[in-house]
Amino acid sequence: MSTARRRRVSRRFLSAGLAALLTTTGALAATGQPAAAGALRWVTPASASYTDVHQPTRAFPVAAGEALPVGTWEADGDKHTSRAYFTFDLTPYRGKEIISAELQTGETSVDDCTKPRELELWRTDTPADAPTWADAPAVREKVGDLGATTTRCPAGYLEMLVTAAVQRAVDEGRGSLTLMARVAGDHEEGKHFGRRIEQPGISLNANAAPDVPGKLTVSGLACAEGLRIGTTTPTFSAEVTDPDRIDGFAGDQVTATFAWWPVDHPEQRTEWTSYSRYAPARFTYSVQPGLMVNGGTYAFAVRAADERAASGWSPECRFTVDTKAPPVPTVTSTDYPSGWNWPGHGGVGIPGRFTFTATADDVAGFRYGFWGATTYVAADGPGTATVSITPERDGPTRLYVQTVDRTGNRSPDTVYEFIVRNTAPTVTDGNPDGRLGQARTFTFAPNMTDVVEYVWQLNDGPEHTVTADGEGGATASVTPTTAWNTLHVRSRTGGGLVSGDAALNFYVRTEPLVSSAQWPLDGSVGAPVGTKGSFVLKPGMDGVTEYVYSFNWGEQRTVPAGEDGSATVSYTPESAYYHSMQVFSRTADGVESATAELSFEVASRAPVAESTVYPRNALGGGPGVPGTFTFRPHPDSAGITSYVYTFRGEPERTVEAGPDGTATIQWTPSGLDEMWGGWMELQVRARTADGVTTDPDFYSFQVDPLSPMVSSDVFVWGGSATVGQTGDFLFTARLPGTTEFVYSFDGGPERTVPADAAGTARVSWTAESAYSHDLTVRSRTASGLTSGSAYYSIWIDQG
């Protein structure tokens, strides 16, 4: 098929609302909204050829994509008359309903566009080989005339419905359909009626009934003879497939109809049909409570349907409802007798036999486990089973056991309680304060009789075996190379019994020991900011040659260790309160210790700021209102000569201290920082004559915005003002020296109105729309000093 031809097919399908995909197998799978039943395919000829009256005994098969002559044409001075034959394979459509079949082709050339198109399509017998003019297949019936959907010539698109011809061929059991294209009547010999056409294809939509449903289950159990279920509300399921499914794409939408009935009352049949789903799919149906009874025998069957056809019913599936729970089992064991009898029996890793018994004739097996009845064992006799269980921990133990009948019903749990003896050896550390890399002796003592040896393992290292002495004890030399360790020890008897694991966890300190005369590490407050002090570092392991440290998780520094492995680090804190230190040691071989993480507190020597106009953490002053701030030294500070201070957003300044160490400054806010809601922060540090500066005092206060007051007799929140109503707003200044007010409605442009001698002004406003409005007002002095904003909310009724 040519590129142009493929484009025409695509446009046609899309114009018909089908999002179709042309696959290499010729299949078109519809996507998007659910389509009608059937699989839409683009079927190309299995063979194509033409005949020529000029060469009556010769066949002219053509390859895919080649055009064919129809009618009369000339070549090399000779006159030729041709008919085209196309054979389509219909074997995939046997037994199917042909919903629609449209043959589509196109002209590649026309001898004379002034002559009418007279292309006919006829059904013929299917030849064994490409036919010749002389042995052409018998003509059976005329299918129709190929028509165009455009006046263009050549016509790029010709079509004809061939649904009846295809359905008749399928119904007659023929595996193929051969169509012949020719020019009608005597015009076949007229050169001006001749043309060449593309090899046609058939857009064929066919449907087969869904397959008979299979793989039926009842509450997850496959149907089988003598099936029993343990519920009166089972769930039926069946798998539905459909032969119209195209590989790689969804097939037909299908439904499943479930039917069930009591075997002894088939007239009490109940049917239910599902919603549709794309095949293949598994459908389920749950029986409602109260419809089935214990002891009843029932059957169900399923059939499937698409939008045009239905399958037959599946073979029926019979089952019997059995909801009676079996009796609870009894549990016995001579290896692990029941009861809390210390020190217990057996031990970890020592298997024991347990016998389960239930007095019922339909016992299939038992479920058991230490953390719930999870493991199944089939009965090895009438109502009994014996299993071997190996405890994995010592001490009080519970074994949970249930009886299971042939239906799968379970009894309540039997809880069998017993004690597993602790057989793990006793392990004693002979040098608990030993350092990393130092050998230490561990002593092993038995908790079993006839112990002949011990197997020990440090962490994930190799196992070692040590022979027990005459009393069953032993010692082992262990050298830890990491800080955190676990020593695993098990004993073994002469008979080969292995004890439980004595897992001894121990920690080998490696991090340095740290101390400081200035800053205790016990949580008490140390020397103040600016104090020059030090920390002494001592090794927590052998061979330390240096220390790596940092303060407050900052830059790491390295200091070499002295001959005794210790070192001293100097430190001068620049801020008060919480500080931290991180330090680890390192040997010449690069072995690093654990990190010591320490915290200490530095005393504050921050000065104290005071103000009566602008009190700490309170409202005061206002724009243009000067305030006095007094700085006093910390009670423990001496020799204060000056203070360094800054107000947020302003440059840093210095003021000299008086003989008593205090200083006073004046500060006047030039406006109001509305982004901070008027809140201002002052930072002040004290400084001594030798340049030592204390940590800062953070002094916060709020500048009173001195916002104007706004009132109105007409426009009040929750009032009855309506659209179109006019009223006044009265502005009253709180900022001394106010000469005008700046205001705006609803975030619009700002306007000004002068203030009278009393510091007031009136503004008239007309409500032009309903609901919520707002007014923003500030007052301003002649020097440009501005107050904070006043916000006034207005509500206007719709009227």
Side-chain angles (χ1 to χ4, degrees), residues 13 18 20 26-30 35-43 92-93 96-101 202-209 242-247 249-253 306 308:
F13 286 138
L18 297 173
L28 288 166
L40 182 65
R41 292 178 181 267
W42 176 250
V43 182
Y93 304 97
K96 293 189 178 184
E97 174 193 4
I98 307 302
I99 300 172
S100 66
I202 298 177
S203 175
L204 199 156
N205 188 9
N207 180 68
D242 189 283
D244 295 325
R245 183 174 187 269
I246 299 172
D247 291 343
F249 301 94
D252 280 353
Q253 282 196 331
D306 60 23
R308 304 182 70 91

Side-chain angles (χ1 to χ4, degrees), residues 129 135 171 220 257 280 293 443 471 476 513 537 539 576 591 612 663 669 720 772 776:
D129 298 303
D135 67 348
D171 292 344
T257 298
V293 296
T443 301
E471 297 181 354
L513 300 171
L537 315 178
V591 177
T612 56
S720 57
S772 178
T776 304

Side-chain angles (χ1 to χ4, degrees), residues 284-320:
T284 61
Y285 165 72
S286 296
V287 177
Q288 297 300 307
L291 300 179
M292 291 186 177
V293 296
N294 179 48
T297 299
Y298 302 88
F300 84 97
V302 188
R303 74 173 178 182
D306 60 23
E307 294 181 16
R308 304 182 70 91
S311 74
W313 287 96
S314 69
E316 69 177 39
C317 174
R318 291 195 175 195
F319 58 91
T320 298

Side-chain angles (χ1 to χ4, degrees), residues 1-2 4-5 8 66-68 86 104-108 156 196-200:
M1 180 179 290
S2 68
R5 179 69 180 135
R8 285 194 294 273
E66 292 185 18
L68 298 90
F86 311 99
Q104 300 164 9
T105 183
E107 296 170 334
T108 61
R196 285 183 176 268
I197 64 172
E198 293 181 342
Q199 293 187 35

Side-chain angles (χ1 to χ4, degrees), residues 413-654:
D413 287 343
T414 289
V415 182
Y416 183 80
E417 298 177 330
F418 59 99
I419 292 180
V420 178
R421 187 164 63 90
N422 180 13
T423 59
T426 301
V427 181
T428 304
D429 186 352
N431 184 18
D433 296 324
R435 288 190 173 185
L436 195 69
Q438 286 184 343
R440 55 175 73 189
T441 299
F442 287 87
T443 301
F444 309 148
N447 280 319
M448 299 175 68
T449 60
D450 191 29
V451 170
V452 296
E453 64 182 11
Y454 294 87
V455 179
W456 65 269
Q457 178 187 31
L458 181 62
N459 302 321
D460 295 325
E463 289 187 341
H464 303 271
T465 301
V466 58
T467 303
D469 57 25
E471 297 181 354
T475 59
S477 179
V478 180
T479 303
T481 58
T482 59
W484 294 98
N485 299 272
T486 301
L487 181 64
H488 300 276
V489 185
R490 290 170 294 144
S491 62
R492 183 181 288 124
T493 69
L497 288 179
V498 178
S499 74
D501 179 24
L504 177 67
N505 298 314
F506 63 97
Y507 176 72
V508 181
R509 179 186 176 90
T510 61
E511 61 266 30
L513 300 171
V514 183
S515 63
S516 173
Q518 292 78 29
W519 296 287
L521 302 174
D522 59 2
S524 58
V525 180
V529 174
T531 302
K532 296 180 179 179
S534 62
F535 290 84
V536 177
L537 315 178
K538 293 184 178 182
M541 63 182 189
D542 295 335
V544 171
T545 58
E546 64 182 11
Y547 296 88
V548 180
Y549 69 95
S550 63
F551 287 98
N552 303 315
W553 302 100
E555 179 185 358
Q556 287 189 333
R557 294 181 173 86
T558 302
V559 58
E563 293 183 1
D564 62 350
S566 65
T568 300
V569 174
S570 298
Y571 184 59
T572 303
E574 298 179 354
S575 61
Y577 309 118
Y578 175 83
H579 285 245
S580 65
M581 182 182 187
Q582 301 79 38
V583 57
F584 63 89
S585 59
R586 184 184 290 142
T587 69
D589 297 331
V591 177
E592 295 180 350
S593 73
T595 300
E597 298 181 2
L598 313 160
S599 62
F600 56 95
E601 188 172 355
V602 176
S604 173
R605 292 293 184 267
V608 178
E610 300 173 346
S611 176
T612 56
V613 176
Y614 294 100
R616 186 188 294 266
N617 298 327
L619 183 72
V625 179
T628 299
F629 292 82
T630 300
F631 305 148
R632 303 183 188 278
H634 189 278
D636 295 335
S637 296
I640 301 301
T641 59
S642 62
Y643 295 90
V644 180
Y645 68 95
T646 179
F647 291 90
R648 186 180 61 241
E650 297 183 7
E652 192 173 74
R653 297 180 176 86
T654 301

